[in-house]
Amino acid sequence: MSTSVESFADLGLSESLLKTLTEIGYETPSPIQAQCIPVLLDGHDILGMAQTGTGKTAAFALPLMETIDIKVAKPQALILTPTRELAIQVAEALQSYAKNLPGFHVLPIYGGQSYTIQLKQLARGAHVIVGTPGRVMDHLERKTLNLDNLKTLVLDEADEMLRMGFIDDVEWILEHTPEQHQTALFSATMPEQIRRVDQKHLVDTNELTMKAA
Ligand code: AMP
């Protein structure tokens, strides 16, 4: 696929998101965005080899936002990140892309934060959860997080989650999510264990390799 896409409008995004991108000053898609957005909008799974700083957050966030039904205040997308810092950063990015989506709610949940606060926020309802694997697993086990309405699952910086010892938690989460959802796995490197996660949990994967922008 060509990566010399001139505009976000060529990628199939809605008018509302296009307006937001103009407002926040995104003029042209980065190569990873040009490659991923149409494939994800088509509903395929993605295994993306991509570094930070390539624009990968928008590459997975924009297509998943197109699938969110605002009227349903239940988690429809789950993004797993290795650290709380990344969870917060990704949640903030989604919030900025949701500027023309009134009622959109994204919630970061991570280890170290009080359960009381998280339980209150989860009970209020969120469309997208961005979380670290251990805490997401805890909430699933306690049944304080329900993924029955899940449409999209993103594993961000999968090799970092592996390096930090979270891969068993990630696998557990993948085994406890509904069968029917789209999965996007991003990793800067592709160690054997990440390939195994792909082979076991992703369907008919589109493998994309991106260099830093
Ligand atoms: P990321 O790799 O997702 O962490 O993004 C790196 C930085 O690039 C972030 O500050 C984004 O807001 C910014 N960015 C992502 N895509 C674009 C784009 N198409 N145009 C301008 N800035 C972008």
Side-chain angles (χ1 to χ4, degrees):
M1 190 185 295
S2 163
T3 53
S4 58
V5 173
E6 294 290 317
S7 82
F8 281 103
D10 297 336
L11 303 179
L13 293 167
S14 66
E15 285 303 323
S16 157
L17 274 181
L18 292 175
K19 179 166 170 274
T20 304
L21 293 173
T22 308
E23 286 167 2
I24 64 174
Y26 285 18
E27 287 173 5
T28 48
S30 70
I32 186 175
Q33 291 160 0
Q35 285 191 68
C36 289
I37 291 172
V39 178
L40 289 173
L41 285 175
D42 265 354
H44 301 290
D45 286 356
I46 274 190
L47 178 70
M49 192 125 121
Q51 318 265 346
T52 324
T54 49
K56 74 174 149 64
T57 313
F60 64 72
L62 298 172
L64 79 78
M65 289 177 67
E66 299 284 16
T67 70
I68 301 294
D69 182 349
I70 294 291
K71 294 187 296 298
V72 179
K74 294 187 174 147
Q76 297 164 51
L78 170 67
I79 302 164
L80 294 176
T81 67
T83 63
R84 80 154 83 179
E85 289 75 18
L86 187 59
I88 293 168
Q89 192 185 314
V90 169
E92 283 173 357
L94 267 106
Q95 201 61 61
S96 72
Y97 304 144
K99 121 186 238 282
N100 293 304
L101 259 182
F104 175 84
H105 215 76
V106 52
L107 180 64
I109 54 170
Y110 43 80
Q113 194 190 31
S114 124
Y115 275 99
T116 318
I117 294 175
Q118 285 177 358
L119 291 174
K120 217 179 272 176
Q121 290 171 323
L122 283 165
R124 264 179 50 206
H127 300 101
V128 180
I129 305 289
V130 191
T132 49
R135 189 55 70 99
V136 167
M137 196 172 120
D138 272 3
H139 281 292
L140 287 171
E141 279 184 316
R142 291 165 181 235
K143 307 216 182 302
T144 44
L145 173 61
N146 180 315
L147 297 179
D148 287 353
N149 292 73
L150 194 79
K151 296 178 194 165
T152 315
L153 178 64
V154 179
L155 309 181
D156 195 11
E157 302 198 353
D159 51 352
E160 276 301 297
M161 293 201 270
L162 173 68
R163 198 181 63 75
M164 293 171 75
F166 299 152
I167 205 69
D168 291 344
D169 294 356
V170 169
E171 289 242 40
W172 188 94
I173 294 165
L174 286 164
E175 278 154 17
H176 289 79
T177 43
E179 289 265 308
Q180 288 298 326
H181 65 259
Q182 183 176 37
T183 309
L185 189 164
F186 291 94
S187 199
T189 59
M190 246 356 124
E192 189 48 39
Q193 281 130 304
I194 302 292
R195 291 223 167 259
R196 276 212 298 275
V197 170
D198 164 42
Q199 283 154 11
K200 204 162 150 200
H201 297 283
L202 277 68
V203 182
D204 199 12
T205 319
N206 282 256
E207 189 166 335
L208 306 173
T209 304
M210 269 80 42
K211 294 207 178 68

